[in-house]
Amino acid sequence: MTPRTDASGRSLPAGPGGLPGDPTGATGGAADLPAGLVAPSYGLTGLAAVLPAAAGALGHELTTATGLSSRAAADELAGGFGAVTRCVVVLVDGLGAHNLADRGGHAPTMRGLLPGARTLASCFPSTTAAALGTLGTGTSPARTGLLGYTQRNPATGGLATLVSWQEQSNPYRRGPKMSRPLTVAPRDLQREPGVLAALAAGGVGVTSPGPQKYNGSGMTTAALHGPEYVVTGNRFGDAVDATVAALRAREGADRRLVYLYQGAVDKAGHRHGWTSPEWGAACEDTDRELRRLLRGVPRGTLVLITADHGQVTTAPARQYDVAADPALSDGVALLGGEPRAMHVYTRDGADPAAVAARWADRLGADAVVRLRDDAVAEGWFGPATGPGSEVPEHVRDVMGDVVVAMTGGEDGSGAATVVDSRLHSPEARAMPGVHGSLTPYEMHVPLLVAVA
């Protein structure tokens, strides 16, 4: 395997902060963000550019709604290798660039690629549903309508959980929560064309192996439609085997791409924390399979390894409960998002500016609070100007009237969170590993590039 180099064969230099290729201007880039927070990037320094770069490396020309050109993305992120006929894009859920750098001893294969890697900025919120939509379309949450772990369904007023494509029509009812399939069809909410679908339509053989539970799921259909889905066993190694087989098959398209997802690292971080032995073990297992992938794919295969977000460790003493705090509950009809990034939906007749002011006063330095239109204008959910900066009406209706991004977690003191004990189970409120906000550990993701 060959680390990413420039056209002359030299390893690309490390960027600021000791991580390779940090996005230029990422820290404090959005208007009025406190120092130390990371502005989302929806250009060539962001997660949105990864699949367009893969498309460009395969010789397929496209431009996304936010103006990302596959040719420019390939030159920026996969330069130095020339055109390829085989490509694998691996998404390791939860593997933030700083998490990987700090615990790289558990991932010798990935650590070996760090000197020539890039560090990209995720989207806001830095969470799987929003990030997979951004990755799959090469655009932004403001275009896809995939805006968080949970979000309001304007048609019903219920609370939708995007990763499972379920909805609670009455989320505040007492007793067990009653969920049902989300009433919005995946392609009615997420209307942007997908990069993988464009590749398939252009004659590239596109495959995505994985467990049966993801086959045709709402999230897969919304964010990553287009590939031929190959059902495998539940182990990541099963999907690696299917990837190698798809790329080595003697019959089929001349150009091929495989999209490969691994969720074990994120799950370990949520359950045990990213500094735990369990997280290290999940990282080791993933790294071992990635080494096998690099050895098994055909010679000349371009392999891009990235993530959707990183993680921070929670501080129980800095957890706010909306249900127990009138300053946070007054005027609020529904809380969406996640403990690090909230969509606050106000009651009819309530003044969103007054709600925002109360939240800002109550949370203080633990949060950055914005009205919806201000967050849009500052580029939180997508480009603030230029191509794709318009927010479709059906997406604007899903956004919270007030948007909140939590701070903290970088100095070892633990990250502040907001929960609602009427909505969130005790297990959810006690999770040691979380993400969604704008800190470097949540926002920075690696792009590891190798040629087999």
Side-chain angles (χ1 to χ4, degrees):
M1 57 191 177
T2 306
R4 184 180 183 275
T5 60
D6 63 18
S8 66
R10 296 173 299 180
S11 294
L12 293 177
L19 284 171
D22 275 342
T24 301
T27 301
D32 299 324
L33 273 186
L37 296 185
V38 175
S41 172
Y42 301 105
L44 295 176
T45 58
L47 179 65
V50 172
L51 281 183
L58 288 165
H60 183 93
E61 294 199 9
L62 59 82
T63 301
T64 72
T66 48
L68 278 174
S69 155
S70 59
R71 181 178 297 180
D75 289 345
E76 179 70 20
L77 299 184
F81 294 128
V84 299
T85 61
R86 300 287 187 273
C87 181
V88 183
V89 177
V90 185
L91 191 290
V92 183
D93 198 327
L95 187 71
H98 297 275
N99 305 124
L100 176 60
D102 288 354
R103 303 204 67 192
H106 294 280
T109 302
M110 290 187 281
R111 182 182 61 189
L113 296 173
L114 279 176
R118 293 291 300 270
T119 300
L120 303 177
S122 188
C123 60
F124 179 81
S126 51
T127 192
T128 299
L132 289 187
T134 296
L135 174 81
T137 64
T139 63
S140 68
R143 302 294 305 180
T144 67
L146 306 176
L147 295 167
Y149 180 72
T150 61
Q151 60 190 50
R152 181 177 61 185
N153 178 358
T156 64
L159 189 64
T161 302
L162 294 184
V163 293
S164 60
W165 218 256
Q166 295 284 307
E167 177 181 355
Q168 297 175 34
S169 57
N170 183 9
Y172 290 109
R173 73 183 297 275
R174 294 182 182 275
K177 301 302 180 185
M178 304 294 289
S179 294
R180 62 179 183 179
L182 180 58
T183 57
V184 181
R187 299 295 288 127
D188 285 341
L189 175 58
Q190 199 302 93
R191 302 176 187 179
E192 289 294 316
V195 176
L196 298 178
L199 286 170
V204 178
V206 185
T207 305
S208 181
Q212 174 61 43
K213 65 180 179 179
Y214 299 136
N215 185 18
S217 70
M219 192 68 224
T220 299
T221 303
L224 296 159
H225 57 283
E228 175 190 357
Y229 195 90
V230 177
V231 176
T232 69
N234 291 324
R235 297 184 312 111
F236 184 50
D238 297 330
V240 168
D241 290 340
T243 298
V244 173
L247 295 177
R248 286 194 172 276
R250 295 182 179 274
E251 297 179 354
D254 294 334
R255 297 173 296 160
R256 302 179 192 177
L257 180 143
V258 178
Y259 168 75
L260 187 57
Y261 172 83
Q262 161 66 319
V265 173
D266 186 60
K267 290 179 181 178
H270 280 307
R271 294 172 180 171
H272 306 285
W274 73 271
T275 61
S276 67
E278 290 84 355
W279 190 94
C283 201
E284 290 171 5
D285 291 344
T286 299
D287 192 78
R288 182 171 55 252
E289 293 299 336
L290 290 176
R291 181 169 64 252
R292 200 164 62 83
L293 173 73
L294 289 165
R295 292 174 176 174
V297 294
R299 183 178 178 84
T301 298
L302 175 64
V303 180
L304 306 176
I305 303 169
T306 191
D308 48 354
H309 57 75
Q311 285 199 356
V312 292
T313 302
T314 59
R318 298 175 70 188
Q319 184 175 93
Y320 300 84
D321 184 359
V322 173
D325 194 331
L328 299 179
S329 62
D330 190 17
V332 174
L334 185 64
L335 184 68
E338 42 236 297
R340 291 283 293 166
M342 286 122 267
H343 290 278
V344 182
Y345 303 98
T346 58
R347 296 184 183 278
D348 291 342
D351 179 7
V355 173
R358 283 194 296 272
W359 275 64
D361 182 64
R362 178 69 181 91
L363 300 179
D366 282 339
V368 181
V369 181
R370 293 286 186 270
L371 291 171
R372 177 192 61 197
D373 291 347
D374 293 336
V376 169
E378 292 180 20
W380 285 30
F381 295 105
T385 59
S389 58
E390 313 85 6
V391 180
E393 195 61 31
H394 77 281
V395 176
R396 189 176 290 271
D397 288 344
V398 177
M399 292 179 176
D401 302 294
V402 178
V403 181
V404 182
M406 304 303 289
T407 63
E410 300 302 297
D411 58 0
S413 61
T417 54
V418 173
V419 300
D420 188 326
S421 55
R422 298 166 297 179
L423 293 173
H424 304 131
S425 68
E427 294 76 18
R429 300 197 301 273
M431 281 194 306
V434 289
H435 52 79
S437 195
L438 296 168
T439 66
Y441 271 71
E442 293 162 283
M443 288 292 294
H444 281 158
V445 297
L447 179 65
L448 311 175
V449 186
V451 169

